[in-house]
Amino acid sequence: NRPRTSRPGYSHRAISAQTNQAENGMKNRFKKYRMEVTTKNRTMTMNSALIQENLAQVRQRIESAALRAARESSEISLLAVSKTRPAEEIVAAYKAGQLAFGENYVNEAVGKVDALSGLPLEWHYIGAIQSNKTRDIARAFDWVHTVSREKIARRHDQAGQDGISAESDSCDLEH
């Protein structure tokens, strides 16, 4: 009983003991087998195929919304939240054109940022910040979206000034 997806135009073949099964509402959950999908003379893992398809659908929705709002879709940025997703899925999204990724688990994210440092990715920290994590955040992330206390902002600024992130802009706080 190998899992199968019923997607027209795709051929399927089980290739290993880990899979991504898409039967239940396109949920990306690893199950017993990993699937290979071939479409338009391209072969990729099911995760890569689903990620590519999902990103295309989201971009189409952004384009439609921009048209309705009389805006250029180029004015809109897509931030893909990659928390809990493995590095191979981030690479698949990158190959589909996604460059900006959001994380909120510092320890998990630092490993991914380091592992994928050879790719031109833009990393955003989107979670609550504990003061003991500011040094790691300053080193690993290009953007921080969630500074909720002045103490955190000062620690982040100090970490940047300590040379952890030589190109980061410091955050000057005024009283």
Side-chain angles (χ1 to χ4, degrees), residues 5 7 12 20 22 35-37 44-51:
T5 59
R7 302 181 59 87
H12 308 283
N20 179 345
M35 303 296 284
E36 187 176 88
V37 178
M44 56 191 117
T45 64
M46 181 60 85
N47 285 339
S48 296
L50 287 174
I51 289 166

Side-chain angles (χ1 to χ4, degrees), residues 12-163:
H12 308 283
R13 179 170 63 94
I15 59 172
S16 77
Q18 283 193 333
T19 188
N20 179 345
Q21 183 176 357
E23 285 112 306
N24 298 326
M26 299 282 289
K27 291 183 181 178
N28 281 333
R29 301 275 188 238
F30 284 98
K31 298 293 179 191
K32 189 175 179 185
Y33 301 105
R34 190 166 118 196
M35 303 296 284
E36 187 176 88
V37 178
T38 303
T39 181
K40 296 182 184 175
N41 299 322
R42 288 182 52 192
T43 300
M44 56 191 117
T45 64
M46 181 60 85
N47 285 339
S48 296
L50 287 174
I51 289 166
Q52 183 179 28
E53 183 177 314
N54 288 345
L55 279 169
Q57 289 174 1
V58 169
R59 288 185 183 118
Q60 182 57 49
R61 291 175 61 195
I62 290 171
E63 181 73 32
S64 296
L67 286 172
R68 286 191 307 274
R71 292 182 61 188
E72 294 292 325
S73 62
S74 61
E75 298 173 7
I76 302 166
S77 299
L78 175 60
L79 179 63
V81 177
S82 53
K83 67 179 185 175
T84 74
R85 308 314 309 167
E88 71 179 20
E89 290 184 15
I90 296 169
V91 170
Y94 165 74
K95 287 179 179 178
Q98 183 62 35
L99 299 176
F101 294 89
E103 293 277 346
N104 70 337
Y105 299 132
V106 176
N107 294 338
E108 175 188 319
V110 168
K112 290 183 213 177
V113 170
D114 290 343
L116 301 173
S117 64
L119 298 176
L121 303 178
E122 182 178 275
W123 294 98
H124 296 247
Y125 188 77
I126 58 174
I129 300 174
Q130 298 172 332
S131 58
N132 64 334
K133 303 286 186 180
T134 55
R135 187 168 296 274
D136 290 336
I137 292 169
R139 181 188 67 78
F141 291 90
D142 301 304
W143 293 91
V144 176
H145 294 262
T146 54
V147 177
S148 60
R149 299 182 315 214
E150 184 176 338
K151 174 185 174 184
I152 299 296
R154 289 192 184 284
R155 286 183 64 110
H156 185 75
D157 185 46
Q158 184 61 48
Q161 290 177 10
D162 287 345

